[in-house]
Amino acid sequence: MVLIHVKKGEDLNLYVEQDVECTVDDASRETIEIYNMVLRARRLKTACDDLVQYGPMKPPEKQMCLEDEDGDAADVDAMIKSNPHFDPTGKRTGDAPAEQMADVIRRTVAELEASVSKEQFENKVVLSKEMIQDNIDKVRGALMIVWPMGLPDWEPAKLIVEDDEDLTGTQDSLDAHDPESSVLWWASKQLSREGKLLKDYVGRNNKTKIVVQITKRGQGAPTRQAQQQSKSEQEAMMQHYFKKKEEWKQLEEDEDDSYLTSAWANPKGMKNSLNGVGNVSWRPGR
């Protein structure tokens, strides 16, 4: 099986496997589906964190509306003191589950998060759709235990586990890719999905490892990996430039030219030394 490293900067890295005999179309579709599922798992983790902290989402027409029980404008500070689960953004109801029930969700979400974590990539664990879906289904089960009557239709956690999200106009829509049309790039080449086999690009060796990036069709080649810098690299570079700038500034401010009278600063010092005339004084009486 060809080991495919899907890379999106330093933020997202994962491994999938495909057979060299499969079509590029099938390999691309499954690879992109797994990539999207990793993003979906991340969104589910965030949605569940908010759910156990602030309760279910309010109806769309009531979101961002901060009112007390009497319908008056809420005193946010007072509401937070009276209810630690009050949502200061006004999006959620504040009816969080009991701590014991919240722990049920937290445990299953932790398992989901671990299944798509950075450690999985570092340990060279190959991801599959079945592996991720199994953990998503566990979260679905936990939500059904805590809310046996079901969550509202507009609750993000419910939409994510049911794979019924509408990402239109969101940042997440820019990260996700269409499995039917997006393309893989390897070694600055687009892997054509039309009539090509994976072995046409990587050869017949099923133990090959390749690093790919995903782009939308017609978007063009992705940024070269060498041109991508992690946050830590950017910070290190900025520190280096700042240090150099301070050194040059110090040199400009230092006007001490007393070193010019030093022996090592004499441009004829080596010649005099070789001729044996070093430290010779021509002043009378010496």
Side-chain angles (χ1 to χ4, degrees):
M1 301 292 281
V2 176
L3 184 63
I4 301 178
H5 170 192
V6 183
K7 184 175 179 65
K8 184 178 183 293
E10 297 297 324
D11 180 57
L12 198 160
N13 291 272
L14 59 101
Y15 285 119
V16 300
E17 284 184 335
Q18 300 293 340
D19 193 279
V20 291
E21 297 293 338
C22 73
T23 65
V24 172
D25 185 53
D26 288 341
S28 298
R29 182 180 298 105
E30 184 170 356
T31 298
I32 295 170
E33 285 175 348
I34 294 173
Y35 167 86
N36 284 341
M37 290 185 76
V38 171
L39 297 179
R40 181 181 162 203
R42 290 184 173 187
R43 294 195 299 273
L44 181 55
K45 194 268 182 187
T46 301
C48 286
D49 286 348
D50 290 342
L51 181 60
V52 299
Q53 177 64 31
Y54 301 117
M57 190 75 77
K58 293 179 181 178
E61 65 274 11
K62 293 186 177 182
Q63 292 179 18
M64 311 298 291
C65 184
L66 295 172
E67 296 180 346
D68 58 21
E69 296 178 354
D70 299 326
D72 299 325
D75 183 336
V76 175
D77 292 336
M79 293 293 288
I80 292 176
K81 290 181 180 179
S82 64
N83 179 11
H85 299 291
F86 175 76
D87 182 7
T89 68
K91 293 182 178 180
R92 294 184 174 272
T93 62
D95 299 325
E99 193 62 25
Q100 185 177 2
M101 292 291 98
D103 283 341
V104 174
I105 298 175
R106 291 192 187 103
R107 286 196 298 270
T108 54
V109 169
E111 293 178 7
L112 171 64
E113 183 182 20
S115 71
V116 296
S117 67
K118 182 179 180 180
E119 286 70 25
Q120 292 285 75
F121 170 74
E122 293 174 345
N123 294 328
K124 296 187 177 180
V125 175
V126 176
L127 303 186
S128 67
K129 292 189 294 183
E130 294 75 18
M131 176 196 302
I132 303 173
Q133 187 60 52
D134 180 59
N135 283 286
I136 290 176
D137 289 341
K138 290 179 180 178
V139 176
R140 182 206 300 264
L143 295 177
M144 292 178 65
I145 291 173
V146 179
W147 284 277
M149 300 302 292
L151 288 163
D153 293 337
W154 48 81
E155 169 56 47
K158 177 182 180 180
L159 295 172
I160 296 172
V161 297
E162 294 178 353
D163 198 15
D164 193 27
E165 300 172 273
D166 181 7
L167 300 178
T168 304
T170 66
Q171 178 62 41
D172 293 322
S173 68
L174 301 178
D175 296 330
H177 289 277
D178 183 357
E180 299 300 327
S181 62
S182 293
V183 294
L184 304 182
W185 288 77
W186 169 60
S188 300
K189 295 180 181 179
Q190 178 179 319
L191 306 189
S192 175
R193 301 183 63 163
E194 300 177 0
K196 291 286 189 178
L197 299 178
L198 194 55
K199 67 182 181 182
D200 294 335
Y201 291 98
V202 303
R204 298 179 180 275
N205 186 355
N206 235 337
K207 295 183 179 180
T208 302
K209 175 186 174 181
I210 62 175
V211 181
V212 304
Q213 289 181 276
I214 306 172
T215 67
K216 294 176 172 56
R217 186 186 296 275
Q219 183 175 327
T223 305
R224 288 179 177 271
Q225 299 296 328
Q227 294 176 345
Q228 297 180 346
Q229 295 179 330
S230 67
K231 185 177 180 180
S232 60
E233 289 173 335
Q234 293 175 348
E235 290 177 351
M237 185 173 293
M238 292 299 295
Q239 290 175 358
H240 173 74
Y241 285 147
F242 179 77
K243 182 179 179 181
K244 287 296 183 182
K245 183 178 179 180
E246 290 298 309
E247 289 176 354
W248 281 107
K249 182 179 179 181
Q250 184 63 35
L251 288 173
E252 291 176 354
E253 294 176 352
D254 187 2
E255 297 180 351
D256 182 11
D257 58 359
S258 60
Y259 71 90
L260 294 175
T261 61
S262 301
W264 58 265
N266 182 3
K268 298 182 179 181
M270 180 176 290
K271 179 180 178 181
N272 292 340
S273 177
L274 293 174
N275 292 332
V277 292
N279 297 323
V280 175
S281 174
W282 301 99
R283 292 177 60 182
R286 295 291 181 97

